[in-house]
Amino acid sequence: MGMKWAALGSGRFYFWIMAMPAVLYVAAWRLAPAVYTLWLGLHQYNIVYDAAPRWNHLANFLQILRDGALRQSLGLSAQFAVIAMTAEVLIGLAAALFLDTDPPGRNLLLGVFLMPMIMAPVVVGTAWGTLFDRTVGYIPYVLRLLHGPQLQWMATPGTAMFALLVADAWEWAPLVTLLLFASLQAIPREHFEAARVDGASGWQLFRRIILPQITGMVLVAAGLRLMDAFLELDKVFVMTGGGPGSSTQFVSMFIYKQAFQFYELGYASAVITVLLAVLAVAYWFYLRSYYRTLEAANL
Amino acid sequence: MLQPRSDRHRAAAGVVTALLLLLVGLSPLSQSSHAQGMTTLTFLGPDFDEWVAFVKVANQIGKPMGIQVKPDYLPWDDVFQKALIDSKSGVRTWDYVYVYNTWVPGLSAAKAILPINDFMTSPAATSAVQPNDFITLTTAGLELNGKLWAMPMLAAPYMMAYRTDLFANPIEKKAFQAKYGYPLALPQTYKQLMDVAQFFTRKAGEKLMGKTLDQDFYGVVLANKSGGFLFHRYEHILVAYGANLIYDPKTMQPTVNSPQGIAAAKYYVALHKYMEPGSESLTGGGAERIMASGRGAIAMDALDNMLSVLPVAKLSKVVGKINYALLPTQLASRPHANVGDANGLAIYALTQHRDAAFKLATAVLNTQGTKQVMKEYPALVPMRASVIHDPEVRTNYAPVFNAMSTFLNGKPYTVFIPPLKEWVQAQDIYEQAMSAAMSGQQSVEDALNGAQAKVVALFKRQGYIK
């Protein structure tokens, strides 16, 4: 049974007083910028050359439909996000399973493994940009020693994307590990012991006991990483600048360029608005499937 | 209830620490620009040797005038953005802003800088600027709509630096004649440049001048980093091939995918095969380090970039083996075509020290001041005739004098960036297309057609065309 307002204090006045800080916070810090962005999206406004925003009907939104570069950026972002998320979940899961076996020095290992996650993304980008650099980078050097291919990592579309994926997986697989390791630790050990007594193999343990109990967390981790990777900017900015050509110009980089290199704040705002709407819909589907999965697993 | 004594001590210590941190944090804000009777001018510019030299000399000259200069250095391409955004936001921090000629249309349209003409209100002030002393072939890029937007400091004519020992070597001359059917010589045409670049590009283990190479060797060295470096190297070839710089200023129609533009882009993509792999990440300085390490036959770059590295013994293995020449010719009507590059010192529109800024700028960038800057930065390519023809400069800065003489006497076909305030934006679109073509992401035609569509959309949005 829901709590009645009167039960919270002396009526509605008390409720509003208590709720006001949160309402103000949401209104000032969340809603107002979003509304302003939407408003700007309906205007032609070059922050440098236009004296004031000019209402331009829905021209910016129509431009979005025609903008091939934006479509390409969205495609690249989706491609990057799916591959990065898959790699990070697989690596994170493998690392979590390993740590769950309680190897010697587990806490130290966990600490070391989590370090990339706490580094600034720009530092991660700089470090990996240097590692892949043909002149001073360790990776081309090792490949040279091993008589491997002499690749221009940042100069060809495929290798530049691969370098970004490696950097992203290095930085964020630890987060997945952390989430899944916590989930694994919560599985009662008796389940494993009972299964082993019944002769279950390692794969059967994983398939029948572990996976059903960590599915929810795997979905959480995958969802978090998918959305975060979709909006990746820092490492792209530092490592490739969106190039070569536009082969790594993800949607965040596209918006950044529109807003801060071309100063087209109106158009950038329109793109942000549409992107926000698309992501909100995607997030709604994700939550729905997440809860359905949990229900199916009786969790 | 009273807190225990130790808790109160901790709380007091915390408050004191917080106050101290606050004081330390706020102290820079309290700096007066008139500290100790000095007027402090702030300079927003790139961390380039010539500007470090400028600041040093400005402080020497400014001291007796009661003026000092404090620099704030940013990466080169960030200076433009910072100046634009700050001026639009009403930031009054700056007095001087470094200006590159391609930024002039944007900065002037945004009213981020003041025209120098605004200060030339008296014969004395005009005389301090010495406008008749400017070498217009170098300074025209800093002018727009009949006004000078920055005090000229450093010319950056694009030229070739080539290895004299390679071109004079009998083994190489014989091999070149046998392969191409004409004598090895400094390329006069772009076809010859391609041949020479191909001829000298060799793998480690092959021979050069009869000696086995322990590293790869490249026919031509160019900086291809996106953000301006690539376009500033490519634009000379674009003009040499008869194309417009991105659009036709008479009709405002974009011409990115004109037949001449496509031919120039194809040439550059083909020439790219004979450059250092990874040139896409090279700035001008980086490219010259490759040339200086003895791994390139010809460099094409801004003269000051080359002069600041190639003749410097502690940086270069090719000292005494380099000479400078005009860029090749593609069309007889455009001999040695190049796009004029210029670097200057602009006065920030929201400066709070207008008079002091003008006074010091003219004092540092006049004939004597420029010579003083050259002492700190010997690669400075001056933009004043009085400096170039100064006997002291001729003697002490012979490489600069000789190279500039070659440039001026050669009367190259020189064009300047058109007055388009969205120039940086259009250039970025073109550069991205070139990068896509060079990396194989797209064919030259597809890349330039795509860029053309984007520039058309940009021009339509801005109302230049329908």
Side-chain angles (χ1 to χ4, degrees):
Chain A
M1 186 180 148
M3 188 178 281
K4 290 203 184 296
W5 286 5
L8 289 167
S10 53
R12 291 187 179 205
F13 178 72
Y14 183 76
F15 170 81
W16 282 114
I17 289 290
M18 295 304 287
M20 194 53 71
V23 171
L24 281 177
Y25 167 77
V26 171
W29 289 97
R30 303 284 166 176
L31 285 178
V35 171
Y36 183 61
T37 303
L38 176 61
W39 181 83
L40 269 181
L42 294 165
H43 291 74
Q44 157 70 36
Y45 186 38
N46 184 304
I47 191 173
V48 174
Y49 304 118
D50 293 335
R54 270 187 292 122
W55 167 254
N56 70 347
H57 309 285
L58 293 170
N60 289 334
F61 291 93
L62 292 174
Q63 169 71 15
I64 287 173
L65 298 176
R66 293 193 298 264
D67 196 334
L70 175 60
R71 274 200 301 280
Q72 187 199 24
S73 292
L74 285 168
L76 287 169
S77 284
Q79 189 185 339
F80 176 80
V82 169
I83 299 173
M85 178 271 288
T86 308
E88 285 156 24
V89 167
L90 290 176
I91 295 167
L93 178 61
L97 288 169
F98 170 69
L99 290 167
D100 194 48
T101 60
D102 201 9
R106 184 181 72 179
N107 290 345
L108 180 68
L109 275 176
L110 188 61
V112 171
F113 195 68
L114 293 181
M115 278 181 71
M117 198 177 79
I118 58 171
M119 289 168 75
V122 168
V123 176
V124 174
T126 307
W128 280 98
T130 310
L131 282 169
F132 279 112
D133 185 274
R134 187 176 186 271
T135 313
V136 297
Y138 193 69
I139 292 165
Y141 172 72
V142 169
L143 282 174
R144 208 159 37 240
L145 284 184
L146 299 173
H147 301 288
Q150 295 301 295
L151 300 173
Q152 302 308 313
W153 289 94
M154 301 303 166
T156 59
T159 50
M161 177 69 100
F162 178 77
L164 287 170
L165 285 164
V166 169
D168 199 68
W170 183 80
E171 185 181 13
W172 291 115
L175 172 71
V176 181
T177 302
L178 189 66
L179 294 172
L180 297 186
F181 177 60
S183 194
L184 285 170
Q185 289 284 293
I187 301 174
R189 300 289 117 172
E190 295 80 10
H191 292 190
F192 296 109
E193 287 158 16
R196 282 200 191 96
V197 168
D198 289 340
S201 65
W203 169 248
Q204 285 170 322
L205 283 177
F206 177 74
R207 178 76 187 79
R208 304 284 179 187
I209 296 178
I210 295 174
L211 202 53
Q213 299 197 59
I214 65 167
T215 302
M217 193 55 84
V218 169
L219 283 174
V220 167
L224 280 175
R225 287 309 311 138
L226 191 71
M227 278 180 285
D228 191 50
F230 188 79
L231 298 172
E232 172 63 41
L233 173 67
D234 314 68
K235 290 189 285 292
V236 181
F237 195 89
V238 174
M239 289 173 70
T240 66
S246 55
S247 58
T248 59
Q249 185 172 281
F250 302 153
V251 70
S252 295
M253 190 73 189
F254 177 88
I255 293 170
Y256 169 83
K257 278 196 166 184
Q258 291 297 326
F260 300 110
Q261 278 192 6
F262 306 156
Y263 312 108
E264 297 290 354
L265 222 55
Y267 184 53
S269 299
V271 176
I272 291 169
T273 305
V274 171
L275 193 62
L276 186 68
V278 170
L279 284 179
V281 171
Y283 191 61
W284 180 77
F285 276 110
Y286 161 69
L287 282 181
R288 201 174 67 158
S289 79
Y290 171 65
Y291 285 120
R292 280 185 181 168
T293 308
L294 290 188
E295 280 168 18
N298 290 320
L299 292 172
Chain B
M1 194 174 111
L2 282 174
Q3 286 180 319
R5 195 181 177 84
S6 60
D7 280 2
R8 273 182 281 150
H9 282 169
R10 274 195 212 115
V15 170
V16 170
T17 310
L19 283 173
L20 280 174
L21 284 171
L22 193 66
L23 270 175
V24 170
L26 290 177
S27 58
L29 300 177
S30 62
Q31 275 182 352
S32 166
S33 62
H34 290 276
Q36 298 166 342
M38 296 284 280
T39 299
T40 302
L41 303 178
T42 51
F43 167 65
L44 173 64
D47 187 10
F48 287 173
D49 292 347
E50 62 269 31
W51 291 100
V52 174
F54 163 80
V55 169
K56 190 175 176 186
V57 172
N59 278 316
Q60 288 165 3
I61 293 176
K63 199 172 180 183
M65 298 159 70
I67 304 172
Q68 62 179 347
V69 176
K70 285 199 170 173
D72 195 345
Y73 297 122
L74 292 181
W76 177 77
D77 39 353
D78 287 349
V79 174
F80 174 68
Q81 276 191 33
K82 179 86 176 148
L84 274 182
I85 298 285
D86 279 1
S87 66
K88 189 72 183 177
S89 314
V91 172
R92 305 178 76 86
T93 307
W94 313 113
D95 298 293
Y96 289 137
V97 177
Y98 157 80
V99 165
Y100 184 58
N101 60 295
T102 60
W103 304 349
V104 169
L107 290 173
S108 58
K111 299 186 173 63
I113 54 176
L114 298 171
I116 298 298
N117 303 62
D118 283 8
F119 297 87
M120 294 156 65
T121 50
S122 67
T126 305
S127 157
V129 175
Q130 297 173 263
N132 296 330
D133 189 30
F134 295 154
I135 304 167
T136 48
L137 200 59
T138 64
T139 57
L142 298 174
E143 291 171 18
L144 186 69
N145 302 327
K147 289 182 175 177
L148 177 70
W149 290 89
M151 282 296 290
M153 150 93 171
L154 169 78
Y158 273 71
M159 297 182 76
M160 283 191 292
Y162 62 97
R163 286 274 300 272
T164 49
D165 54 335
L166 291 182
F167 282 87
N169 185 271
I171 301 170
E172 299 299 339
K173 285 169 92 168
K174 191 176 169 187
F176 187 90
Q177 174 79 47
K179 188 170 181 182
Y180 296 96
Y182 65 94
L184 174 63
L186 179 68
Q188 296 300 316
T189 68
Y190 277 100
K191 165 76 175 70
Q192 289 172 2
L193 175 66
M194 186 71 81
D195 289 347
V196 167
Q198 183 192 46
F199 175 70
F200 279 120
T201 300
R202 303 188 192 171
K203 292 280 178 198
E206 293 181 42
K207 288 194 169 178
L208 182 72
M209 295 193 291
K211 290 180 187 165
T212 305
L213 289 164
D214 57 359
Q215 296 185 84
D216 292 351
F217 192 86
Y218 307 104
V220 64
V221 178
L222 281 148
N224 287 320
K225 190 179 176 199
S226 291
F229 297 95
L230 167 56
F231 192 82
H232 290 315
R233 272 73 193 166
Y234 166 69
E235 64 187 356
H236 311 286
I237 294 171
L238 186 63
V239 172
Y241 269 71
N244 292 306
L245 281 170
I246 301 185
Y247 71 102
D248 181 349
K250 288 177 191 155
T251 62
M252 292 305 287
Q253 289 297 328
T255 56
V256 175
N257 61 352
S258 66
Q260 297 92 333
I262 287 176
K266 280 186 173 171
Y267 178 87
Y268 199 81
V269 170
L271 190 66
H272 180 235
K273 285 188 287 193
Y274 310 120
M275 299 176 199
E276 148 101 3
S279 66
E280 295 78 6
S281 60
L282 288 179
T283 61
E288 292 323 311
R289 295 298 171 115
I290 288 168
M291 190 71 184
S293 68
R295 291 191 289 138
I298 292 177
M300 288 168 69
D301 207 338
L303 179 59
D304 68 298
N305 271 344
M306 301 192 284
L307 285 170
S308 66
V309 176
L310 303 181
V312 181
K314 65 178 179 184
L315 301 175
S316 175
K317 290 181 182 171
V318 293
V319 176
K321 297 175 183 172
I322 294 289
N323 207 350
Y324 303 93
L326 292 170
L327 297 179
T329 298
Q330 179 67 16
L331 300 173
S333 57
R334 297 185 171 193
H336 311 294
N338 73 104
V339 181
D341 266 21
N343 301 267
L345 180 77
I347 297 177
Y348 184 61
L350 303 179
T351 174
Q352 298 183 75
H353 307 102
R354 286 174 56 114
D355 295 339
F358 176 71
K359 194 174 157 189
L360 185 62
T362 50
V364 178
L365 297 177
N366 64 16
T367 308
Q368 286 309 314
T370 304
K371 283 168 63 184
Q372 214 167 316
V373 178
M374 286 186 85
K375 281 183 186 159
E376 299 295 334
Y377 180 68
L380 186 103
V381 181
M383 301 169 94
R384 289 187 179 281
S386 61
V387 178
I388 283 288
H389 298 305
D390 187 283
E392 198 185 332
V393 170
R394 283 183 183 212
T395 312
N396 296 343
Y397 308 98
V400 176
F401 174 75
N402 293 334
M404 271 309 273
S405 297
T406 302
F407 183 77
L408 295 173
N409 297 334
K411 295 185 173 54
Y413 176 85
T414 303
V415 297
F416 295 91
I417 296 299
L420 178 75
K421 68 178 194 292
E422 296 84 2
W423 176 258
V424 173
Q425 193 169 342
Q427 178 190 288
D428 185 85
I429 291 169
Y430 204 132
E431 193 172 66
Q432 202 172 73
M434 284 303 294
S435 172
M438 286 161 66
S439 69
Q441 188 191 356
Q442 286 180 298
S443 69
V444 167
E445 284 87 350
D446 287 350
L448 293 193
N449 287 340
Q452 169 79 3
K454 287 180 191 172
V455 177
V456 166
L458 170 69
F459 277 33
K460 279 184 179 173
R461 205 159 60 240
Q462 300 305 112
Y464 298 139
I465 53 174
K466 288 183 179 173

